[in-house]
């Protein structure tokens, strides 16, 4: 992997500052009460800079999801041949966790904002549906029957969602991987 250029580093810093400022403001004041101008001021950038990095106000919260999805898709595709559906999903989640774990505080705020904002819940649901379809497609590509792939992906995404919630609400020092281990162990006790 190549070292990012100074321009890429600055671009990333600016994006991160905008996301952090927007998420903090949304958490403190409510999503609907915060304007784009307030986000720009808090992030110490102009509104034109905001729109160079993000398409709209919702994008402040969801703009990084595509990067995580790409990382997870690549990891799922690179899982060893013959891997079970759950093993492929776990391989992808580990790769995604490496991307998101450093941003735990911002992600926890984001989760609170989404939980309080129905319009954002809809977009979050669409994100989960896209991730589930990504895993269905990978499993089918590997020869799994479509119905089984859909069930495996659905249960897997439900486990990941619950693990993510527990990780964000849990004590510092816990990893997403540990939270997923706990959820998977609990799921195994639900069936005889």
């Amino acid at each position: 992997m190549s070292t990012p250029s100074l321009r890429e580093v600055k671009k990333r810093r600016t994006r991160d500052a905008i996301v952090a400022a927007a998420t903090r403001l949304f958490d403190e004041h409510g999503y609907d009460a915060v304007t784009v101008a307030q986000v720009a001021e808090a992030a110490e950038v102009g509104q034109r800079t905001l729109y160079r990095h993000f398409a709209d106000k919702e994008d402040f919260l969801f703009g990084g999801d595509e990067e995580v999805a790409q990382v997870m898709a690549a990891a799922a595709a690179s899982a060893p041949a013959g891997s079970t559906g759950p093993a492929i999903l776990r391989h992808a989640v580990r790769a995604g966790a490496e991307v998101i774990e450093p941003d735990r505080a911002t992600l926890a705020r984001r989760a609170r904002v989404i939980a309080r904002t129905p319009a954002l819940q809809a977009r979050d649901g669409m994100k989960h549906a896209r991730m589930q379809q990504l895993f269905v497609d990978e499993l089918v590509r590997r020869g799994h029957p479509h119905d089984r792939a859909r069930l495996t992906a659905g249960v897997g995404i439900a486990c990941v969602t619950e693990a993510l919630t527990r990780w964000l609400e849990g004590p510092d020092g816990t990893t997403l991987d540990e939270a997923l281990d706990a959820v998977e162990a609990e799921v195994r006790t639900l069936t005889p």
Side-chain angles (χ1 to χ4, degrees):
M1 188 169 176
S2 65
T3 303
S5 68
L6 180 59
R7 181 175 184 196
E8 290 168 334
V9 169
K10 286 181 177 183
K11 185 176 178 180
R12 171 58 78 180
R13 267 194 221 130
T14 300
R15 282 184 63 86
D16 291 349
I18 294 167
V19 168
T23 306
R24 179 182 55 77
L25 289 172
F26 297 157
D27 189 30
E28 292 172 358
H29 304 288
Y31 176 79
D32 293 324
V34 176
T35 67
V36 171
Q38 289 169 317
V39 172
E41 183 179 337
E44 300 179 345
V45 298
Q47 287 188 48
R48 289 179 66 186
T49 299
L50 281 177
Y51 286 116
R52 273 198 297 272
H53 292 277
F54 299 96
D56 57 32
K57 188 174 160 181
E58 281 188 8
D59 228 19
F60 300 151
L61 295 171
F62 295 101
D65 289 350
E66 188 57 38
E67 175 189 351
V68 175
Q70 289 173 2
V71 166
M72 291 178 72
S78 72
S83 295
T84 64
I88 293 167
L89 182 67
R90 180 48 90 84
H91 193 71
V93 169
R94 282 192 179 112
E98 289 180 21
V99 175
I100 68 169
E101 281 186 331
D103 296 324
R104 182 178 181 165
T106 299
L107 290 170
R109 282 183 171 223
R110 175 181 122 151
R112 289 192 299 267
V113 171
I114 291 169
R116 295 188 307 248
T117 314
L120 298 177
Q121 292 168 17
R123 183 157 173 183
D124 199 47
M126 290 187 322
K127 173 190 74 177
H128 290 281
R130 280 194 315 273
M131 290 301 298
Q132 182 172 336
Q133 189 59 50
L134 178 148
F135 289 113
V136 169
D137 293 346
E138 180 60 29
L139 293 174
V140 168
R141 186 185 72 76
R142 288 172 178 251
H144 295 250
H146 189 269
D147 289 347
R148 178 119 179 143
R150 190 176 58 232
L151 176 62
T152 300
V155 171
I157 291 297
C159 289
V160 170
T161 300
E162 179 62 21
L164 186 60
T165 299
R166 291 181 184 191
W167 173 65
L168 292 173
E169 294 175 352
D172 287 342
T174 304
T175 67
L176 181 54
D177 207 40
E178 291 168 336
L180 188 55
D181 284 343
V183 168
E184 288 175 343
E186 195 171 328
V187 166
R188 283 191 289 275
T189 69
L190 298 177
T191 56

